[in-house]
Amino acid sequence: MKMVKSLLLGAAAGMVAVAGAQAADLPVKAKPVQYVKICSLYGAGFYYMPGTDTCIKIGGFLRAEMNFNSNGSFNPFKVADLDSRGLNFETTRARAVATFDVRSQTEYGTLRSYMAIGEQVTNTDGGSGVDTYSHRMFIQWAGFTAGLAVSFFDFYSTPKYSNTTNVLGSDTGGSGDPVFGYTAQLGGGFSATISAEDTSVRRTAISGGGGYAGRQWPDIVANLRIDQAWGGAQIMGAAHQVRTVGVVGVPDQEFDDVGYAVGAGVKLNLPWGKGDSVAAQVGYAKGALKYVGSGLGSFRISHGTADVGVGDAFDAVVTNGGTDLDLTEGWSVVAGADHHWNSQWKTSLYGTYGQIMFSDAASTALRGAADGDWKFWQVGSRTVWSPVRNLDLSVDVMYNHLNTGFESLGFQDEGWWQGMFRVQRNFYP
């Protein structure tokens, strides 16, 4: 009996040991891991990159548009016969851009890198003909900004009020401008910036003297700005090198001069509607016309061969038989206002006006007459319908008018309408 009892106890102990061993072999349920953690330091849409203290926000947009009587993406014509049967009255464009905003905290403040990169197709340029596109690639840290960004001279934001590329006004936001700047925060919403910026972005052309020479130093830009709940304002200035190549065998054809620009802008947030605002910017330049017209270029608009308007755009003109360099003057004002009717509809009005002025000697050197000054203005309106969040359907209509130069030579004023329909899906929160 005692032997049987010992056998039973031994068997039971063995079964417990086996069961315990099998239980030990079973997988243990892992603790839940939070792979994506919200980063609330910098606003909506940011999250921590797993395993780091770096926050990232991914966004972007996709748009498709159809333009009528314009030079692609609602860019006004500068050289065109508007009556020509060969003129492309209708153009289409699709653009897709992804944005990456990466930030982390350091003992000197936020370290930020931002990139917007994508592709675009104009009319039949599909497949291997797709173009790359980027208008932002910059790093910010301890008050410094380096890379492709908006010029620190610019204040007025064109996309806030229209889909167009304005001829006049200074807004490099659509293409970006290589900058190396430092911004000091002065308190109370005030800031001051000094920046070295790509001079090529601000060149039109030089008439005579072999044209523009190679770059020696960047444009120097400075501003004083205030941003508060009511809106903001800015005053700004820029210095721009005007340097000719020179003509071999012709004496006194190498010129070195400095052009400049000054400007001011203001934006007011209107109290009677959320998101409603009005903004304006005015600028004057001598020898640096791209500061009064980011999209500026020489005009030659016609209806057929007899009805022609011109507007020459040169930063400088070599005059008096090649012995002098005359810097061209210009000024412009751009303004816009928008109103939100409700959460789905908004409408804006916008316009630009400006003048390019040549000395009598410069006008005579250009075309043999002394009345080369010309004016240009634009006025338009955009209505946007957002039937669902982050989807915008817009219609933009604009009128352009060129008050021609050199009327004594038979040139005439020209005007034309243009329009755009755009669909845009935004991918940011």
Side-chain angles (χ1 to χ4, degrees), residues 14 125 145-146 164 166-167 184 194 198 201-202 214 224 268 286 295 319-320 353 372-373 381 397 414:
D125 294 336
T145 300
T164 187
N166 287 336
V167 170
I194 183 74
D198 183 9
V201 173
R202 300 295 187 171
L224 178 63
L268 301 175
K286 184 173 183 179
T319 61
N320 297 325
Y353 186 79
D373 295 0
S381 178
V397 178
E414 300 293 342

Side-chain angles (χ1 to χ4, degrees), residues 64-406:
E65 63 188 36
M66 182 169 287
N67 301 268
F68 300 95
N69 205 32
S70 64
N71 195 28
S73 197
F74 216 38
N75 184 16
F77 287 118
K78 298 180 185 69
V79 179
D81 177 359
L82 301 181
D83 289 344
S84 170
R85 292 183 64 84
L87 182 72
N88 290 317
F89 182 83
E90 168 270 326
T91 60
T92 61
R93 174 169 291 177
R95 176 180 293 173
V97 174
T99 62
F100 303 88
D101 193 344
V102 183
R103 308 187 194 188
S104 59
Q105 290 299 108
T106 75
E107 57 184 315
Y108 298 99
T110 302
L111 171 61
R112 181 191 186 196
S113 60
Y114 186 89
M115 178 175 65
I117 189 167
E119 297 180 328
Q120 69 179 27
V121 178
T122 301
N123 288 91
T124 58
D125 294 336
S128 60
V130 173
D131 297 324
T132 58
Y133 171 85
S134 180
H135 63 299
R136 298 289 185 277
M137 293 182 186
F138 63 82
I139 297 170
Q140 290 179 317
W141 178 71
F144 292 94
T145 300
L148 188 67
V150 180
S151 168
F152 286 102
F153 188 92
D154 301 344
F155 181 82
Y156 179 87
S157 178
T158 301
K160 171 70 175 174
Y161 305 101
S162 71
N163 295 339
T164 187
T165 302
N166 287 336
V167 170
L168 299 177
S170 180
D171 183 4
T172 56
S175 57
D177 187 356
V179 306
F180 292 82
Y182 176 74
T183 301
Q185 300 298 331
L186 307 178
F190 283 94
S191 64
T193 299
I194 183 74
S195 178
E197 303 185 359
D198 183 9
T199 187
S200 299
V201 173
R202 300 295 187 171
R203 288 180 172 183
T204 54
I206 296 176
S207 177
Y212 258 110
R215 299 183 297 271
Q216 283 188 315
W217 48 272
D219 283 13
I220 305 302
V221 174
N223 72 38
L224 178 63
R225 179 171 178 142
I226 182 172
D227 293 282
Q228 293 185 340
W230 55 264
Q234 176 177 292
I235 56 174
M236 53 279 199
H240 173 78
Q241 185 183 34
V242 183
R243 177 173 179 253
T244 65
V245 172
V247 178
V248 177
V250 181
D252 301 320
Q253 281 284 289
E254 295 181 0
F255 298 97
D256 290 273
D257 210 334
V258 178
Y260 65 90
V262 294
V266 63
K267 178 186 176 184
L268 301 175
N269 297 321
L270 302 177
W272 52 75
K274 183 178 180 180
D276 289 9
S277 67
V278 60
Q281 179 172 315
V282 61
Y284 167 83
K286 184 173 183 179
L289 295 185
K290 282 291 183 78
Y291 284 99
V292 298
S294 296
L296 194 61
S298 292
F299 277 91
R300 185 180 178 87
I301 300 296
S302 66
H303 288 85
T305 57
D307 188 1
V308 181
V310 297
D312 295 324
F314 296 99
D315 284 335
V317 179
V318 176
T319 61
N320 297 325
T323 60
D324 292 317
L325 184 70
D326 280 20
L327 301 184
T328 309
E329 298 178 79
W331 62 269
S332 69
V333 59
V334 56
D338 69 336
H339 173 62
H340 292 67
W341 303 100
N342 52 45
S343 61
Q344 293 187 339
W345 291 90
K346 64 179 179 180
T347 299
S348 63
L349 296 172
Y350 59 89
T352 66
Y353 186 79
Q355 183 178 16
I356 305 301
M357 298 166 287
F358 296 96
S359 68
D360 288 348
S363 292
T364 301
L366 286 172
R367 295 183 184 268
D371 54 345
D373 295 0
W374 57 277
K375 299 176 181 178
F376 184 76
W377 56 272
Q378 301 168 288
V379 61
S381 178
R382 180 187 68 183
T383 295
V384 182
W385 177 40
S386 303
V388 296
R389 185 181 179 185
N390 291 331
L391 177 64
D392 296 334
L393 287 75
S394 62
V395 174
D396 204 335
V397 178
M398 180 173 62
Y399 177 75
N400 305 272
H401 192 87
L402 172 66
N403 292 105
T404 192
F406 296 106

